[in-house]
Amino acid sequence: MATFLYRLGRFSFRKRHVVALFWVALLALAGAGAAGAPAAGNSSFSIPGTEAQKAFDLLDERFPGASADGATARVVFKAPDGQKMTDPGNKAAVQDTVDELSGGVEVTQVTDPYQGGGVSQDGTVAYASVTYEVPGMELEESSREALKAAAEDARDSGLTVEIGGDALQAVPETGSAEIIGIGVAAVVLVITLGSLLAAGLPLLTAIVGVGIGVATITALASTLDLGSTTSILASMIGLAVGIDYALFVVSRYRAELAEGREREEAAGRAVGTAGSAVVFAGLTVVIALVGLSVVNIPMLTKMGIAAAGTVAVAVLIALTLIPAVLGYAGRRVRPAGEKSKLLGGGRAKDKADKPNMGTRWASFVVRRPLAVLLLGIVGLGAAAVPAGSLELGLPDDGSQPTSTTQRRAYDLLSEGFGPGFNGPLVVVVDAQGSDDPQAVFQQAGDEIKALDNVVNVAPAAPNKAGDTATIAVIPDAKPSSAATEDLVHDIRAAGADIKDGTGAEVLVTGATAMNIDVSQKLNDALVPYLVLVVGLAFLLLIVVFRSILVPLKAALGFLLSVLAALGAVVAVYQWGWLSGLMGVEETGPIMSMMPIFMVGVVFGLAMDYEVFLVTRIREAHVHGEKPAQAVVTGFRYSARVVTAAAVIMIAVFSGFIGSSDSMVKMIGFGLAIAVLFDAFVVRMAIVPAVLALLGAKAWWLPKWMDRALPNVDVEGESLAAHAGTADKDDEDKELVRA
């Protein structure tokens, strides 16, 4: 592989016009496709194989035209102090609002609070439900404006009016913090590479890669049903790995220049060595992201594949576009150790070169490996303690900031009707095979009323055929509580008894039940996912490092860092520690998709640092150095760059903490803290400590396996012959010119 990538690097350097034109054309093509594509909405949320999804599909079949997936809005009214919503003036204002909303083009139904039981028992709060024929993200802007205008007109009469539901759902924004993250990355690159131009190359190529990836996702969003969150997460991951991969290649290029090689040869060797590490690091990320498909939640699968595609583009750009732009930069990119005059270059150097920070740190760890190892494990173990209290759920309007009308509507409904009113359960009774469907509907309603934690059970509402009915159930507790989850399980248990006696099927669905089923499905999938992803990556790393213990250490180190990161997420988003600093206005259960998505992404990124750091150590060991000295040598050449890469990735991920989308915000924090733990504790402390303790045994591999495994030559041993040939060609060219 090193030989092929070496040739690819030289070709891209030499034919830079062709390579640059190819990537610019690809970016333009993707951009044109995105410009002409419909706007991305929310990906249709389905969870195959769950009861909630089965009930949802049954509703679509038995209640045609009901727009089960249509947007909904709850316009919530509160009377001024000392008044009731039943007072004539307030009642007239609500009636005017209902009439105004009923005339909407996309509106299918508006319920009158005074006819549908929408007034609280104390008479201070009322609500009108509005149903639309299209999902929230597909609503025309005119429909949203009409909804807001109707609420504003009601406010003019003196009422407090707020709007809940998904009708006002907007495309999430990442905020200005993302720009700050990129700015931090730029500063780190300048410090690391010692040149504004060299620092700009990774940023430029990463932006090109993310541009291609996000534009392609946008162009295909409508066709493949990709949600707006998909492109945000793809840009988050693509930008982070794109900068990192480019940084490693540029850094190796400068190191090759410092050894006196010609620029084309340096580009070839940089791609042949660092590029090999990029390929395998990228493969681990792709495996982790594509592996999310084992969960069998289409939205999560699409997010993973889209992000994996963006990572693949970042790898290809690092292997081709980076050497091409290095060719354009020429002598303006200086050898390692030299800085531009603007940054203090040209000054006299000290007579004796002092060991760099990486060398000093590695030497310290090698002298005291056991102490460093124990300190790292204990520290991560302490950070992981909160993970034992992990509670999973999906966000609703109750997790929104208090500044939003959705959250204020949620609070008003809780105040007037109880917390469970915000998470009603929909019980679907399929009595198609029953002799007396009406009796089955009545039995189901009576048995549900007898359960604990039930506030209200609405009368059964049958379809036109009379063989299927829906029963609305209001729990006593809020949607994300354990009590509501227990109620869902109790209703399903009662439904099983009804089926045994009558043959009718009782199913529970609705947003709350859907969230419970998603959490359960993700919990059940976590272990198989870990086995698949870690197993495949373990085999891949055995091929890369030609060792059993090094990949095993890498996997165990990852588990430590991801558990510590989950502990930090629980501490902030569930317990409320430092919540003000992180912009968390409402603590609660951790998003169901967060752990498995974070595990996938963090595993891929953790293996990135493992590959980049340990390949340098193995390279030194392969070239004859003793194990302890090889660790120090590897850190001398790679610690600075790996540290810079980690800081960049933390900065980029932290930028997404400012997003308006709670899922993106939480994932941004989780990934940033996970990279912090993995790069600086696991890879920079635990890895060298373990390698120092293992010594030569770290690189042990059974002879039969050594013969069976392909030699991918990540260290670039095979490049010596090609380097010699290239040097001879250069000499011949010089003779011809003479």
Side-chain angles (χ1 to χ4, degrees):
M1 173 177 283
T3 303
F4 168 76
L5 293 178
Y6 166 80
R7 290 170 177 165
L8 179 63
R10 292 195 61 156
F11 170 84
S12 300
F13 186 96
R14 191 167 54 251
K15 302 292 184 181
R16 47 189 171 273
H17 302 310
V18 175
V19 173
L21 183 62
F22 169 80
W23 285 108
V24 170
L26 195 58
L27 178 61
L29 183 64
N42 262 10
S43 177
S44 57
F45 191 77
S46 63
I47 41 175
T50 62
E51 180 174 313
Q53 186 63 46
K54 183 180 178 181
F56 189 84
D57 295 339
L58 186 64
L59 285 175
D60 272 347
E61 177 189 337
R62 304 285 175 86
F63 292 82
S67 301
D69 62 344
T72 59
R74 275 179 170 175
V75 183
V76 188
F77 309 88
K78 183 178 182 182
D81 291 342
Q83 298 184 25
K84 302 284 187 180
M85 287 305 304
T86 51
D87 294 347
N90 294 336
K91 193 171 182 178
V94 172
Q95 190 61 56
D96 289 343
T97 304
V98 170
D99 294 341
E100 185 177 347
L101 290 170
S102 299
V105 177
E106 297 177 297
V107 174
T108 59
Q109 184 182 15
V110 181
T111 62
D112 188 327
Y114 303 100
Q115 296 178 5
V119 181
S120 64
Q121 193 169 8
D122 63 3
T124 60
V125 179
Y127 73 94
S129 293
V130 187
T131 306
Y132 294 87
E133 59 188 22
V134 295
M137 294 301 294
E138 297 177 17
L139 273 179
E140 295 288 341
E141 191 58 34
S142 58
S143 295
R144 291 195 180 94
E145 291 302 323
L147 180 60
K148 294 176 184 176
E152 194 58 44
D153 291 341
R155 291 188 187 105
D156 293 339
S157 67
L159 297 173
T160 298
V161 186
E162 304 296 346
I163 305 170
D166 62 354
L168 294 184
Q169 196 168 26
V171 175
E173 300 174 354
T174 54
S176 59
E178 181 184 355
I179 308 291
I180 297 174
I182 295 175
V184 172
V187 172
V188 174
L189 286 170
V190 171
I191 295 173
T192 305
L193 299 177
S195 164
L196 292 175
L197 179 63
L201 297 183
L203 280 175
L204 173 65
T205 55
I207 290 171
V208 169
V210 169
I212 292 172
V214 172
T216 303
I217 291 170
T218 305
L220 298 175
S222 179
T223 305
L224 300 180
D225 191 26
L226 303 176
S228 54
T229 305
T230 303
S231 60
I232 294 178
L233 294 175
S235 66
M236 177 197 301
I237 297 167
L239 189 62
V241 300
I243 294 174
D244 278 7
Y245 294 167
L247 170 62
F248 283 112
V249 174
V250 172
S251 298
R252 188 61 184 250
Y253 171 77
R254 296 178 69 234
E256 296 295 334
L257 289 180
E259 293 183 11
R261 292 187 172 86
E262 292 296 323
R263 294 187 177 273
E264 182 179 327
E265 174 66 14
R269 291 183 66 86
V271 174
T273 52
S276 296
V278 165
V279 168
F280 283 101
L283 271 176
T284 59
V285 180
V286 169
I287 287 172
L289 291 171
V290 173
L292 291 169
S293 58
V294 303
V295 183
N296 195 26
I297 294 180
M299 186 179 78
L300 194 60
T301 299
K302 292 170 185 176
M303 286 166 53
I305 292 175
T310 307
V311 171
V313 171
V315 171
L316 293 175
I317 282 180
L319 301 179
T320 57
L321 187 57
I322 281 291
V325 295
L326 287 173
Y328 284 117
R331 297 185 180 278
R332 289 186 290 273
V333 175
R334 300 169 181 269
E338 292 186 19
K339 296 182 179 180
S340 64
K341 292 182 179 180
L342 183 63
L343 297 174
R347 297 175 185 171
K349 295 184 178 180
D350 295 336
K351 291 182 180 180
D353 290 333
K354 296 180 180 178
N356 62 19
M357 181 64 74
T359 302
R360 295 197 296 273
W361 170 250
S363 299
F364 170 79
V365 174
V366 166
R367 289 196 303 271
R368 298 175 177 83
L370 189 58
V372 172
L373 177 62
L374 291 176
L375 185 61
I377 292 175
V378 170
L380 291 178
V385 168
S389 303
L390 177 68
E391 296 177 10
L392 297 179
L394 285 178
D396 53 22
D397 285 347
S399 62
Q400 297 259 22
T402 52
S403 58
T404 62
T405 186
Q406 292 95 328
R407 171 60 187 278
R408 291 196 293 265
Y410 180 98
D411 291 340
L412 284 177
L413 288 172
S414 296
E415 175 188 331
F417 299 91
F421 194 80
N422 284 293
L425 304 175
V426 179
V427 178
V428 183
V429 184
D430 179 8
Q432 194 174 52
S434 174
D435 296 332
D436 189 355
Q438 287 296 331
V440 173
F441 300 156
Q442 184 64 43
Q443 179 185 353
D446 292 343
E447 292 201 17
I448 294 171
K449 286 179 184 177
L451 296 175
D452 294 334
N453 197 36
V454 174
V455 171
N456 183 55
V457 178
N463 62 349
K464 289 182 180 180
D467 59 5
T468 307
T470 60
I471 301 174
V473 180
I474 305 300
D476 184 45
K478 64 181 182 178
S480 58
S481 67
T484 300
E485 183 176 349
D486 291 340
L487 176 60
V488 170
H489 294 315
D490 290 343
I491 294 174
R492 287 173 174 169
D497 294 337
I498 293 173
K499 184 175 183 179
D500 292 340
T502 65
E505 193 166 21
V506 179
L507 307 170
V508 185
T509 188
T512 302
M514 193 81 79
N515 292 352
I516 292 169
D517 286 353
V518 168
S519 298
Q520 186 61 50
K521 193 175 182 70
L522 288 166
N523 280 338
D524 294 343
L526 186 57
V527 172
Y529 173 71
L530 275 172
V531 171
L532 173 68
V533 173
V534 175
L536 287 175
F538 180 75
L539 295 176
L540 183 65
L541 292 179
I542 288 177
V543 174
V544 174
F545 296 129
R546 308 193 75 78
S547 164
I548 296 288
L549 297 179
V550 171
L552 180 62
K553 165 206 47 89
L556 294 176
F558 152 73
L559 291 175
L560 273 175
S561 58
V562 80
L563 285 174
L566 278 175
V569 170
V570 169
V572 173
Y573 289 89
Q574 188 174 308
W575 291 0
W577 295 3
L578 302 177
S579 56
L581 182 63
M582 296 298 166
V584 181
E585 296 191 24
E586 184 71 21
T587 59
I590 303 304
M591 201 163 317
S592 299
M593 283 187 238
M594 172 67 186
I596 199 163
F597 189 83
M598 191 174 81
V599 163
V601 176
V602 172
F603 181 78
L605 300 180
M607 295 308 102
D608 276 3
Y609 298 122
E610 181 75 14
V611 170
F612 290 129
L613 188 63
V614 179
T615 48
R616 266 296 201 174
I617 296 173
R618 186 173 188 276
E619 184 176 345
H621 180 67
V622 166
H623 292 155
E625 293 189 9
K626 293 182 178 180
Q629 184 56 41
V631 171
V632 175
T633 301
F635 267 69
R636 179 168 70 247
Y637 288 114
S638 60
R640 177 184 175 91
V641 179
V642 169
T643 300
V647 171
I648 289 169
M649 203 168 277
I650 292 168
V652 172
F653 287 149
S654 297
F656 288 85
I657 297 175
S659 173
S660 61
D661 185 277
S662 56
M663 179 176 180
V664 174
K665 180 192 291 283
M666 192 181 293
I667 287 177
F669 172 80
L671 293 182
I673 200 73
V675 170
L676 176 69
F677 288 148
D678 195 85
F680 292 103
V681 181
V682 175
R683 308 304 154 189
M684 287 293 173
I686 293 178
V687 165
V690 171
L691 290 178
L693 288 170
L694 290 176
K697 295 177 183 177
W699 310 108
W700 172 80
L701 187 69
K703 291 182 179 180
W704 65 268
M705 189 178 290
D706 188 39
R707 291 191 298 268
L709 291 177
N711 184 10
V712 295
D713 189 22
V714 176
E715 296 80 19
E717 293 176 78
S718 61
L719 296 184
H722 288 274
T725 303
D727 293 341
K728 184 66 169 61
D729 291 342
D730 291 337
E731 290 175 8
D732 292 342
K733 290 176 183 177
E734 291 297 328
L735 288 173
V736 171
R737 292 193 192 100

